[in-house]
Amino acid sequence: MPPITCTDRELMALSDGRIVDLACGDGGLATRELIEDVFLPRIGNEKLRSGGDSSLVSAGEKIWMTTDSFVVSPPQFPGGDIGKLSIYGTVNDLAVAGARPLHLSAGFVLEEGLSLDLLEAVVQSMGEAARELGVEIVAADTKVVERGFGGGIYINTTGVGATMGAIRLGTDRIRAGDALILTGPVGDHGVAIMATRAGLSFDTRVRSDCAPLWPLTGRLLEGLGDGLRFMRDPTRGGIATALDEVARGTGRDLLLEEMALPVRTGVRAATEMLGLDPLYLACEGQALLVVEESMSARALEIIASTEGPWEPAVVGSVGEEGGAVRLRTPLGGTRRLGPLRGDPLPRIC
Amino acid sequence: MPPITCTDRELMALSDGRIVDLACGDGGLATRELIEDVFLPRIGNEKLRSGGDSSLVSAGEKIWMTTDSFVVSPPQFPGGDIGKLSIYGTVNDLAVAGARPLHLSAGFVLEEGLSLDLLEAVVQSMGEAARELGVEIVAADTKVVERGFGGGIYINTTGVGATMGAIRLGTDRIRAGDALILTGPVGDHGVAIMATRAGLSFDTRVRSDCAPLWPLTGRLLEGLGDGLRFMRDPTRGGIATALDEVARGTGRDLLLEEMALPVRTGVRAATEMLGLDPLYLACEGQALLVVEESMSARALEIIASTEGPWEPAVVGSVGEEGGAVRLRTPLGGTRRLGPLRGDPLPRIC
């Protein structure tokens, strides 16, 4: 007897027209709406509503938990692969919460027909990335779906981490005058993926910035203490969407200097060719920091003296009440940055 | 500009012939080979190698972690849906480790075109199942993939739990003479899914047994103490594959009485019609227990007095050295049960 299977597409055909579209996954406005309309009313609680990428699950022991699914296409790209990304992505969500990554789980959804060589290369990358960070993958699961019901390889990683000291990071700790710092250039990951998909080649080959933010964030916490207010890794939706979340979280305006925002030449060239804004493209190894103004020089020192692909820069400051992100252009004008809307880049991470 | 996408199928076409096939996901022999050949050499460690569905991640505080991806097709079936299953499935992996479920994460991979009504119903089920158990979903993530690259809705849940007392469960604690107990009939989930796929209807409509094993396992631990040796929930691969794992883990023969194995009339009828063996079909709300022989009556009492779909039965006992599962047939013969091999039932959970 052949295996009895069933296409879920039959069920979808019954849909009355309200459907999930690709924009729901872009990390911008449509994703926020899906979360607020569909998920929070049904599985919401204080921890999920807080909107951070990690949640404190045990106040006594300060244990944090975060989850991320990786569906990036293609699974291998300049600078990394889905395996490395799945380890660093989840580690980075813990890192920007100020938590030391401790344990990871890995759940695989493989598509029938996936090359075993590719699978082995991806799992090898995961092992290397985890070992480099001293984090163990303590639980794993594998499912296989029929051809045409997957994208080769999808990986969920869930991470548990611990914070040590008494410092609490949060948008509620952000004050007017605080400095906005980027640890390095934006948009590398997004351009690397898109260029690979499109088969584009540029004079300057762009590689994904796929890298771990730990132990950098640990050193920043240690060195800046209370002067470190908040950290966020700008993945889907890019730095613009991350800044918008901070502005909405604080209710304050954020004032950015367009000239100060680090964008590599190759990224600039590619985005101009493709008609895209690098501020909306994913980074996978950089962080946005909000730091007490007097500590910003110290923050830059700490980043520069830590091993990693860092090119830190102060890119702006926190303003008064408002809740908008305002970008000062080189010509002295101001342009308002909203969250990503539409323009889906499916499967960027 | 249209979104730049890329089919991973182009990459698969480059495969030299070594591919992932559906049997790799059946939970039986082929899955074990995939784990041993591909995963353990690359991401293996003591915790993953131990082979349990949950790992102890913090010996001091006795914190456990487990992960499971759910890809069941169809997403709604008699007795449950993928949402309920994704909560109970992960809770049950903690429960059979003796751990109280504390926190869950949920990672969604949605396919473009998924009905929002279906998504809402599934998320509603998750919320209800989690609240019923007093477990919070503390972290969540959503990705959307293009049409033709998913199966409607896939969910990963990862769970963290805690064990309280000093009792340690494990196949190494199993002794000759111990009793094998099933909490209820086997094969209900497998038949419910297959019957739905095939559009079959039986006189006795079979419903999935999708149910939480917690707090039952907590009461068993409390009531049986050291007399409880080991627990396992027989999902993919069914009770036969779970028994094979125990036999291999202990190096002892397991002696089963075929007459004592509880199988519902509707499941019996359906499996006879489909030419399947109910012992290889998934359960999603029953457990296999190994109990010190003198405590087996007490175990049956505890199960029968706990609310839930239980119909407990002593189904066999642990024998001497050997490592095989031997089933005594009603006619007095003996048939050896191996793990599931081939005969894939893709997307059963």
Side-chain angles (χ1 to χ4, degrees), chain B residues 108-322:
Chain B
F108 297 86
V109 176
L110 309 179
E111 186 183 7
E112 179 189 16
L114 175 71
S115 153
L116 267 173
D117 290 338
L118 175 61
L119 178 60
E120 287 174 352
V122 165
V123 180
Q124 181 75 25
S125 277
M126 293 179 77
E128 285 166 9
R131 278 188 292 277
E132 171 203 337
L133 289 162
V135 178
E136 273 188 343
I137 297 167
V138 298
D141 176 64
T142 307
K143 295 294 187 308
V144 181
V145 297
E146 312 94 310
R147 267 176 219 267
F149 288 87
I153 177 166
Y154 296 153
I155 306 175
N156 174 283
T157 51
T158 300
V160 168
T163 41
M164 307 297 168
I167 300 156
R168 194 183 53 75
L169 301 172
T171 50
D172 57 320
R173 290 198 45 238
I174 294 173
R175 300 282 171 266
D178 284 351
L180 302 171
I181 294 176
L182 267 174
T183 55
V186 298
D188 292 21
H189 179 74
V191 166
I193 296 295
M194 282 194 300
T196 311
R197 285 186 199 171
L200 300 178
S201 70
F202 305 104
D203 282 351
T204 310
R205 186 156 176 83
V206 178
R207 296 167 61 81
S208 166
D209 56 355
C210 184
L213 290 168
W214 187 266
L216 174 66
T217 55
R219 293 197 62 194
L220 285 165
L221 265 171
E222 207 176 277
L224 302 178
D226 259 352
L228 185 61
R229 315 288 206 194
F230 181 78
M231 300 190 278
R232 172 61 63 100
D233 58 327
T235 58
R236 273 185 299 177
I239 186 68
T241 304
L243 287 164
D244 179 70
E245 282 169 27
V246 174
R248 292 184 344 115
T250 58
R252 293 185 176 280
D253 280 352
L254 302 184
L255 313 167
L256 279 286
E257 294 291 334
E258 187 161 15
M259 290 291 283
L261 283 165
V263 180
R264 287 189 209 285
T265 314
V267 170
R268 181 80 66 196
T271 51
E272 280 172 6
M273 183 193 293
L274 297 168
L276 296 168
D277 185 339
L279 304 186
Y280 288 91
L281 295 183
C283 308
E284 288 293 346
Q286 301 295 351
L288 168 71
L289 315 175
V290 187
V291 173
E292 190 189 314
E293 201 282 331
S294 67
M295 305 288 265
S296 61
R298 179 83 191 102
L300 297 181
E301 270 172 37
I302 293 170
I303 301 167
S305 68
T306 303
E307 202 188 337
W310 320 121
E311 299 176 29
V314 177
V315 297
S317 61
V318 177
E320 303 301 323
E321 300 289 309

Side-chain angles (χ1 to χ4, degrees), chain A residues 4 18 55 117 138 149 154, chain B residues 18 55 117 138 149 154 197:
Chain A
I4 302 173
R18 296 174 60 239
S55 282
D117 290 338
V138 298
F149 288 86
Y154 296 152
Chain B
R18 296 173 61 238
S55 282
D117 290 338
V138 298
F149 288 87
Y154 296 153
R197 285 186 199 171

Side-chain angles (χ1 to χ4, degrees), chain A residues 123 127 131 136-137, chain B residues 35 38-49:
Chain A
V123 180
R131 278 188 292 276
E136 273 188 343
I137 298 167
Chain B
I35 292 168
V38 173
F39 290 100
L40 289 183
R42 294 174 178 83
I43 58 169
N45 51 57
E46 204 186 329
K47 296 184 183 79
L48 274 189
R49 276 177 220 281

